[in-house]
Amino acid sequence: MSAIQPEQQFEAFLAEGRFMLPRSLETGRCFWFPRVAEPGTGCTNLEWVEASGDGTVYSTTVIRQKPPTPDYNLALIDLAEGPRMMSRVEGIAPDQVRIGMKVRARVVQDGERHVVVFHPA
Amino acid sequence: MRDAFPRGQAAIVGAATYGVGTAPGLSTFDLAALASVKALSQVGLKPRDVDGLFCVVMDETLSGLNFAEYLGVRSRFNDNARTGGSSFQIQASVAALALAAGQCDVALIAYGSNQRSALGKLATSARSSPWETPYRPLRPISSYALAAARHMHQYGTTKEQLGEVAIAARKWAQLNPEAYSRDELTMEAYLGARMVADPFSVRDCCLVTDGAAAVVMTRADRARDLCERPAYLLDRKSVV
């Protein structure tokens, strides 16, 4: 398999509504963020696999804004596949997000791009 | 191979600050240069005597090279390594290695910031991560906030304990005539401060100020001739 193009391919999948993770064909390990070589091993034999979408909040913060701009959530999510990624939890007040909370991924449009966000499971 | 840091073989012989707090109308290099000249003059040296230059400023990608041109330094050892707020400690340890190996004789470590006067906001790194920027992190505060929130969850750390850190820092500031904020900070005022990124309020975050600092280092044998109380580097350790 030729080298993956991390940013382009990930965004193209998102535009199709798919949240994909890079996986090493040598170790079978998924990692985040997408890159051309598996961290640690340097393995470039990679494939994209669909994420289960299941996750757990590892940490959370509320970025406070000057009213009337609404505050927003910023969180680190541990994916069921292992990796930890930055995202936000929606569908709940930003200060109600709790560490350990089970969440589920959704691909949403955010301005001109698509992003992976999470909702309480 | 045995870890053989050249213990006590290099020392800081000159150290100066410039424009700490607010210093309008000066670039980061202007500020760094004023601190550098001041530190060098303490030990009777001039920029042209420097042959090891260590410089990182936020707004110059090639600070080490461009600051050499600015100061008129012809360095045989030049360092531009960016490790954020630890850059200067790292640079001091690299300078000690270079001095001990005879790769330079006079090392200058210089820094300047005009964040308060020029920007009035936090300067951040040039290229933002495509994987994190969409979530609008407020760097560097939100990175530490996420770590602190996890620490509180995992170890039971309280907001009051975080407050003790801010209050202790303020007490030190009250002893420092150059400090920007020197009024008393009470726990009540700390707990009532405006939130920025939970669990951090403005009182947990560092101030946005101007300022510059520079230190001069030489080998230990020369240090004793240059100043009365050289500060010897005994060891260094870092973990990433």
Side-chain angles (χ1 to χ4, degrees):
Chain A
M1 178 178 169
S2 57
I4 66 165
Q5 296 168 301
E7 292 179 44
Q8 280 183 21
Q9 291 177 342
F10 183 76
E11 278 180 27
F13 287 131
L14 281 189
E16 297 168 0
R18 302 168 77 196
F19 171 25
M20 304 291 278
L21 293 171
R23 182 165 71 184
S24 163
L25 286 163
E26 277 178 23
T27 66
R29 208 167 57 100
C30 287
F31 55 90
W32 183 262
F33 51 93
R35 61 199 98 172
V36 295
E38 181 188 17
T41 65
C43 169
T44 55
N45 198 6
L46 309 172
E47 62 177 350
W48 292 97
V49 294
E50 190 128 23
S52 67
D54 294 327
T56 307
V57 176
Y58 177 79
S59 191
T60 178
T61 184
V62 183
I63 311 286
R64 304 288 178 164
Q65 302 287 289
K66 274 190 191 136
T69 309
D71 297 341
Y72 60 91
N73 177 263
L74 182 72
L76 296 175
I77 310 295
D78 281 347
L79 303 176
E81 289 81 2
R84 179 174 300 155
M85 72 180 287
M86 182 174 284
S87 183
R88 64 172 173 264
V89 181
E90 297 184 338
I92 179 175
D95 62 355
Q96 292 303 304
V97 179
R98 296 280 176 263
I99 292 173
M101 188 179 265
K102 299 289 176 195
V103 290
R104 202 158 160 77
R106 282 189 199 180
V107 178
V108 298
Q109 182 130 18
D110 189 8
E112 286 183 2
R113 62 174 136 199
H114 294 81
V115 293
V116 177
V117 300
F118 289 81
H119 282 241
Chain B
M1 185 184 163
R2 188 174 63 89
D3 180 341
F5 184 81
R7 180 183 171 87
Q9 290 182 37
I12 293 170
V13 294
T17 58
Y18 187 90
V20 173
T22 49
L26 296 170
S27 73
T28 56
F29 273 179
D30 293 337
L31 288 162
L34 287 162
S36 298
V37 171
K38 207 167 142 190
L40 287 164
S41 70
Q42 290 171 355
V43 286
L45 297 173
K46 296 195 179 325
R48 63 169 175 265
D49 300 317
V50 173
D51 62 356
L53 183 64
F54 300 76
C55 180
V56 166
V57 294
M58 282 301 282
D59 58 354
E60 290 268 356
T61 306
L62 301 177
S63 340
L65 301 176
N66 294 341
F67 194 57
E69 181 187 29
Y70 183 117
L71 269 190
V73 162
R74 300 189 69 93
S75 53
R76 358 183 229 138
F77 199 103
N78 198 293
D79 177 290
N80 198 130
R82 290 171 184 268
T83 57
S86 68
S87 296
F88 323 106
Q89 286 81 1
I90 302 278
Q91 289 173 332
S93 59
V94 175
L97 294 169
L99 286 161
Q103 298 230 308
C104 63
D105 296 324
V106 176
L108 172 68
I109 301 171
Y111 175 73
S113 169
N114 59 1
Q115 287 214 25
R116 183 163 198 93
S117 297
L119 300 165
K121 60 185 171 87
L122 283 172
T124 51
S125 58
R127 184 189 189 249
S128 51
S129 159
W131 312 109
E132 300 190 347
T133 304
Y135 303 106
R136 294 184 290 153
L138 181 67
R139 287 207 184 83
I141 299 162
S142 58
S143 309
Y144 287 105
L146 287 165
R150 181 69 200 183
H151 197 278
M152 292 169 88
H153 171 82
Q154 202 161 324
Y155 302 106
T157 310
T158 64
K159 179 74 177 159
E160 284 75 11
Q161 288 171 328
L162 295 180
E164 292 297 343
V165 176
I167 290 166
R170 184 62 64 86
K171 282 182 182 158
W172 283 109
Q174 288 175 318
L175 300 174
N176 179 358
E178 282 197 319
Y180 191 76
S181 292
R182 303 187 63 198
D183 48 320
E184 193 191 352
L185 177 62
T186 63
M187 183 59 81
E188 192 184 3
Y190 170 82
L191 292 172
R194 179 173 63 82
M195 295 302 291
V196 177
D198 302 26
F200 290 158
S201 71
V202 284
R203 295 291 158 251
D204 295 294
C205 301
C206 88
L207 303 167
V208 179
T209 53
D210 299 336
V215 300
V216 182
M217 291 176 63
T218 65
R219 273 182 296 281
D221 52 356
R222 191 174 183 190
R224 281 185 291 274
D225 298 330
L226 290 172
C227 79
E228 280 184 25
R229 294 183 60 200
Y232 297 96
L233 262 74
L234 301 182
D235 204 354
R236 53 88 54 196
K237 289 282 181 285
S238 59
V239 177
V240 173

